[in-house]
Amino acid sequence: MQEKTINRLIFAVSVFVPVLVAVLFYTPAIHFNVDVQFLPKLNAMLNASVTVCLLAGYYFIRKKNRRVHKWFMMTAFSLSAIFLISYVVYHGASEPAHYGGPQLWKIVYLIILFTHIVLAAVILPFILFTFSRALTERFDKHRKIARITWPLWLYVAVSGVVVYLMISPYYGQ
């Protein structure tokens, strides 16, 4: 595939996904005959697993072990894709949970949630470009963008777990 086509596809996906997620928050839930209440916990476990993969991928590229680095990064990418599908299914099929804890912690929660949401939308094209450049073996460009992508992706993965832990007592209320 030509670089121009790849860039257009990345742009399309990077616009479509945040728009889809935004639409889910402003439309009524579609109630299936399936219980989706386990998905937030699954999503937190996926984010935790992505965190481990990102840290391991970083470790192995520092040790110059490209093969193992690639495996961990492909796994992080795959787990993130599964997370995205699960997230869309959950938010399409259920009403959003609301934080119900103390006001001081609610402010902390909202700050973490806000930065998580914004960076989750921003990071998507970075991840896709980083992967595209690695898969097409343009490692000079891959390294350059990965220095931006990796810490942002790590923050999104970790903050996803933190957000879940802070709101998990209020699911289903």
Side-chain angles (χ1 to χ4, degrees), residues 48-77 79 130-131 142-143 146 150-151 153-154:
S49 299
V50 168
T51 299
V52 170
C53 288
L54 290 172
L55 292 170
Y58 181 82
Y59 172 81
F60 283 105
I61 201 59
R62 289 314 222 184
K63 295 293 183 186
K64 305 207 183 313
N65 189 334
R66 279 187 176 178
R67 185 180 58 77
V68 177
H69 165 76
K70 180 180 178 180
W71 186 89
F72 275 109
M73 299 313 288
M74 294 293 285
T75 302
F77 184 84
L79 292 171
T130 303
F131 266 79
H142 169 76
R143 268 189 300 277
W150 186 84
W153 193 2
L154 182 65

Side-chain angles (χ1 to χ4, degrees), residues 28-34 36-37 92-95:
I30 301 167
H31 297 286
F32 301 108
N33 289 333
V34 177
V36 295
Q37 296 308 309
S94 65
E95 300 300 327

Side-chain angles (χ1 to χ4, degrees), residues 81-133:
I82 293 167
F83 164 84
L84 181 58
I85 293 165
S86 174
Y87 182 87
V88 166
V89 167
Y90 176 76
H91 285 286
S94 65
E95 300 300 327
H98 298 283
Y99 184 80
Q103 191 63 31
L104 176 62
W105 285 109
K106 184 175 184 176
I107 293 167
V108 172
Y109 166 77
L110 291 173
I111 291 168
I112 295 169
L113 178 63
F114 178 77
T115 58
H116 172 78
I117 290 170
V118 169
L119 289 176
V122 168
I123 195 62
L124 181 57
F126 283 89
I127 291 169
L128 296 173
F129 277 116
T130 303
F131 266 79
S132 167
R133 289 173 177 172

Side-chain angles (χ1 to χ4, degrees), residues 129-166:
F129 277 116
T130 303
F131 266 79
S132 167
R133 289 173 177 172
L135 294 174
T136 56
E137 298 183 357
R138 292 177 296 156
F139 295 116
D140 56 327
K141 291 183 177 186
H142 169 76
R143 268 189 300 277
K144 192 173 183 179
I145 195 169
R147 291 171 196 218
I148 299 165
T149 304
W150 186 84
L152 294 177
W153 193 2
L154 182 65
Y155 177 82
V156 169
V158 170
S159 63
V161 175
V162 171
V163 164
Y164 169 77
L165 292 173
M166 292 183 81

